[in-house]
Amino acid sequence: MRNVPKATLQRYPIYLKALNRLDKNGIDRVMSKELAMMVDIEPTTIRRDFSFLGNLGKQGYGYSVPKLIEIFNKQLGVNFDEKIILVGAGNLGSALLNYNKWDYVVGEIACGFDVDEKKCGEHFGVQIYPMNELEQRIPQGCHIAILTISSHVQETVNRLVECGITGIVDFTHQHISAPKGVVIKAIDVVSSIQELVFSTNAINQKAMK
């Protein structure tokens, strides 16, 4: 695969989600115009994005849905069976459990952990265990954790790393550190809203001139 622009890489999961939906509905061929309507991305952009993966389509025929899914899986290293754990089953954690429908793009939340034993048990079909059972209950081969806790964050990160976690989705808004080889993706909704406010204000001011 050629050097792919960052913007293109960010669109690949969108395409893959749509392709899996098509495959699930028994559709084995799709035109770029049809896919464009599903993902709200211009057909020319889709064709350009797909060109980085090789010569995938034929004019007048479109793209083979199973072939595209296979190529995404092989070239991009997507693991549809990825087991993800959730640490923190409070309000945000519960919302994520309720949304545990990733359309076979990134796997699923296999289980969760919380320090409050009142939150343990089954929630939305996912088993929540006491935090003190983390080392015993973490699924074998699990590498990804979603962190939604508000206390003992660094201590928890250290435990996760010792358990083999190499990727953390961080909702804590706290500064945390991890050894080299561990990727932390911080999710800051407030900052995202601030960026949107700034951007929309700038557009409105420009329109008024």
Side-chain angles (χ1 to χ4, degrees):
M1 184 172 63
R2 288 151 41 201
N3 190 27
V4 182
K6 183 178 180 181
T8 296
L9 285 173
Q10 291 174 337
R11 286 189 290 267
Y12 280 162
I14 299 173
Y15 300 143
L16 187 54
K17 185 173 182 177
L19 290 165
N20 275 300
R21 194 179 306 129
L22 289 170
D23 186 58
K24 189 175 181 180
N25 291 329
I27 299 172
D28 62 0
R29 181 167 59 90
V30 64
M31 306 290 288
S32 57
K33 289 183 179 180
E34 296 169 333
L35 188 59
M37 293 178 66
M38 294 181 65
V39 298
D40 196 24
I41 297 172
E42 288 294 324
T44 52
T45 300
I46 292 175
R47 290 193 292 270
R48 185 175 64 249
D49 289 347
F50 284 3
S51 70
F52 289 99
L53 300 173
N55 297 321
L56 305 179
K58 295 179 181 179
Q59 190 171 3
Y61 175 83
Y63 298 94
S64 165
V65 171
K67 182 179 178 182
L68 274 177
I69 293 174
E70 179 184 354
I71 288 174
F72 272 118
N73 188 25
K74 181 179 179 181
Q75 298 282 6
L76 304 180
V78 177
N79 184 354
F80 303 125
D81 298 321
E82 187 75 53
K83 299 301 181 185
I84 305 166
I85 63 167
L86 173 72
V87 181
N91 292 335
L92 177 56
S94 293
L96 291 171
L97 287 173
N98 190 32
Y99 181 72
N100 193 18
K101 303 175 180 68
W102 313 109
D103 283 355
Y104 307 103
V105 175
V106 293
E108 63 179 0
I109 298 176
C111 65
F113 299 89
D114 200 283
V115 293
D116 185 356
E117 295 197 6
K118 293 180 181 178
K119 293 186 174 70
C120 296
E122 188 173 305
H123 297 271
F124 304 105
V126 178
Q127 187 67 35
I128 308 299
Y129 299 107
M131 192 63 198
N132 58 16
E133 297 182 11
L134 173 68
E135 286 77 6
Q136 291 75 39
R137 297 287 191 176
I138 191 168
Q140 186 175 5
C142 178
H143 303 294
I144 306 294
I146 301 174
L147 203 57
T148 65
I149 58 177
S150 58
S151 61
H152 305 289
V153 178
Q154 185 62 59
E155 176 188 337
T156 302
V157 170
N158 295 342
R159 290 177 65 187
L160 290 170
V161 171
E162 289 177 3
C163 289
I165 294 296
T166 54
I168 297 173
V169 182
D170 174 29
F171 284 92
T172 68
H173 300 164
Q174 296 188 26
H175 173 73
I176 55 178
S177 60
K180 186 177 180 180
V182 176
V183 179
I184 298 176
K185 177 67 174 179
I187 308 296
D188 191 337
V189 177
V190 173
S191 293
S192 297
I193 294 173
Q194 288 174 335
E195 290 175 9
L196 281 174
V197 170
F198 179 82
S199 299
T200 54
N201 285 343
I203 292 172
N204 292 337
Q205 290 173 7
K206 185 177 181 180
M208 293 173 63
K209 291 182 179 179

